[in-house]
Amino acid sequence: MNKIVGKKIFSENVVGLDIEAPRIAKARKAGHFVIVRVDEKGERIPLTISSADSVKGTITLVIQKVGVSSRKLTSLEPGDTVLDIVGPLGQATHVENFGTVLACGGGVGVAPLLPIVEAMKKAGNKVISVIAARNKELLILEDQIREYSDEVIVLTDDGSYGRKGLITEGMEEVIAREKIDHAVIIGPGIMMKFASMVTKKHNIPSIASLNTIMVDGTGMCGACRVTVGGRTRFVCVDGPEFDAAEVDFDEMLMRLNGYKAEELKAAEEYSC
Ligand code: FES
């Protein structure tokens, strides 16, 4: 059992939880994720570690309400517990002094982007962050991203905060005036698909952090498989980060949508 020691409401659908997990807090690096089971019947939810405090022994996870298990998780309060947390899992982000790094985060993807922005900045890079959300309510962690960025561009689809526009517009603007040496792209699958088309068009080496369905998290079940550069790869052990230009996003999106009907039905039953 892991105890929740802090909670922050970012919006109606996005919540941050600080959870006791001392060994994970000590071992985690940027890019690592955990798999959480809220209770015996809970799905195994992969969540990237947004930040950690190795002294307090806590990790911070940012969760978006999507299905039943994520709703249960976001309804927990300090003092409550989750059944178990496995991690840190996956490959840590490759961090070095690339020069100028363009960090692109969409929606709840800004949470896993944060530790990468921090690590890239600490490695001596100039970091330009472009963060975007559908509206002001859904924009998270702006202040924390600003802390480690040389410049931040904020966009919302509806213009309720920052500039009105899509993340790709902010990316194009930066690329037009700066030489970008490396890009990091994290967000909803469809956003990553179009953002990676921008970096590919400009020949900018870029990585995307993929958010597939997972079950075991150890490379055995195949639930998280994706095609990268024509090869089958497993997000849980080979990723979650891959060369964005090589990812078959259409296949990933099709697989992600494969359980939508069941997810909706379960969510309806849960809220009844
Ligand atoms: Fe099972 Fe990756 S989650 S192989």
Side-chain angles (χ1 to χ4, degrees):
M1 292 270 196
N2 300 75
K3 191 166 147 194
I4 289 149
V5 293
K7 180 173 185 176
K8 184 164 184 193
I9 312 276
F10 290 111
S11 71
E12 196 187 332
N13 290 318
V14 182
V15 165
L17 293 178
D18 300 326
I19 308 180
E20 282 181 350
R23 284 192 292 181
I24 298 174
K26 206 173 273 181
R28 73 98 206 192
K29 291 197 174 85
H32 278 145
F33 68 95
V34 292
I35 290 184
V36 180
R37 266 197 315 167
V38 63
D39 57 32
E40 283 288 351
K41 291 187 175 169
E43 297 154 81
R44 297 165 61 82
I45 312 175
L47 294 163
T48 308
I49 303 164
S50 178
S51 59
D53 186 325
S54 57
V55 177
K56 288 185 189 158
T58 58
I59 57 171
T60 301
L61 306 175
V62 177
I63 306 126
Q64 183 170 26
K65 289 182 199 173
V66 181
V68 173
S69 295
S70 56
R71 280 164 202 253
K72 283 185 188 171
L73 200 50
T74 53
S75 70
L76 297 177
E77 298 294 336
D80 292 338
T81 54
V82 295
L83 184 64
D84 52 44
I85 301 180
V86 182
L89 297 169
Q91 304 295 322
T93 305
H94 173 70
V95 177
E96 64 172 70
N97 190 342
F98 293 101
T100 301
V101 172
L102 183 61
C104 314
V108 79
V110 176
L113 187 70
L114 176 61
I116 300 174
V117 166
E118 179 182 351
M120 290 294 184
K121 185 67 197 161
K122 287 180 175 169
N125 291 285
K126 176 179 180 181
V127 180
I128 303 175
S129 298
V130 182
I131 56 174
R134 287 207 306 276
N135 56 47
K136 185 182 178 188
E137 288 288 288
L138 297 173
L139 190 82
I140 59 169
L141 299 171
E142 180 192 349
D143 291 346
Q144 291 85 340
I145 290 284
R146 282 194 186 281
E147 196 180 334
Y148 300 107
S149 302
D150 294 271
E151 181 187 349
V152 179
I153 295 175
V154 179
L155 299 108
T156 50
D157 292 3
D158 65 357
S160 54
Y161 187 67
R163 288 187 221 165
K164 186 177 189 312
L166 300 173
I167 196 162
T168 46
E169 294 167 41
M171 293 170 68
E172 289 279 15
E173 179 197 309
V174 176
I175 293 166
R177 64 169 154 84
E178 298 256 352
K179 178 182 174 290
I180 302 298
D181 300 294
H182 184 78
V184 182
I185 299 166
I186 312 182
I190 193 74
M191 169 244 146
M192 291 196 285
K193 174 183 169 177
F194 284 99
S196 68
M197 284 163 69
V198 172
T199 52
K200 191 174 182 177
K201 182 175 78 181
H202 294 284
N203 289 318
I204 297 168
S206 53
I207 59 119
S209 181
L210 305 186
N211 50 357
T212 55
I213 293 165
M214 289 191 193
V215 180
D216 66 324
T218 61
M220 288 191 284
C221 72
C224 67
R225 73 181 181 277
V226 287
T227 303
V228 182
R231 288 173 58 205
T232 296
R233 308 295 300 276
F234 298 108
V235 175
C236 65
V237 288
D238 300 321
E241 293 168 6
F242 296 96
D243 182 342
E246 300 275 306
V247 174
D248 184 339
F249 283 105
D250 289 332
E251 181 197 61
M252 187 187 91
L253 287 164
M254 191 184 70
R255 285 176 53 75
L256 273 173
N257 289 330
Y259 298 98
K260 275 280 177 276
E262 287 82 358
E263 280 174 11
L264 278 174
K265 188 162 177 281
E268 276 166 18
E269 284 170 7
Y270 177 68
S271 54
C272 283

